[in-house]
Amino acid sequence: AAATLVKLLVLPAVFLPLAVHLGFTDEKLVALLVMLGSISTPSCYVMAKQMGHEGVLTGSVCVTTTLFSAFSLTFWLFVLRSAGCIA
């Protein structure tokens, strides 16, 4: 749960205001949002397995971020649009 919250909520909450302050707008800001607040890739699971771990935690993070990213990305787009950062 902590890894999912960090990936979907904390990273965008920390870096999106910084990006807006640096002058990112519209497409660039949305691209940054997708990079920061989207799902953890399944390649993380493969990498964890190759490093000798069971991969249960990594697999769970991939599943939960995939499930909740639809809601979190919609939320962040709403916040950015309400703030006037994207058109």
Side-chain angles (χ1 to χ4, degrees):
T4 301
L5 286 175
V6 167
K7 179 69 175 146
L8 297 179
L9 296 177
V10 174
L11 288 177
V14 169
F15 290 107
L16 286 177
L18 181 63
V20 170
H21 179 70
L22 292 173
F24 285 77
T25 57
D26 297 326
E27 297 90 13
K28 293 177 184 175
L29 194 58
V30 172
L32 187 62
L33 170 63
V34 169
M35 287 187 283
L36 288 170
S38 63
I39 65 170
S40 298
T41 60
S43 63
C44 296
Y45 174 77
V46 174
M47 184 175 61
K49 291 294 280 185
Q50 289 180 350
M51 293 177 69
H53 297 281
E54 290 180 24
V56 175
L57 176 63
T58 308
S60 298
V61 170
C62 287
V63 169
T64 56
T65 56
T66 300
L67 178 66
F68 293 117
S69 68
F71 303 108
S72 66
L73 286 174
T74 303
F75 167 75
W76 285 116
L77 287 171
F78 174 75
V79 168
L80 289 174
R81 186 157 197 145
S82 297
C85 299
I86 58 175

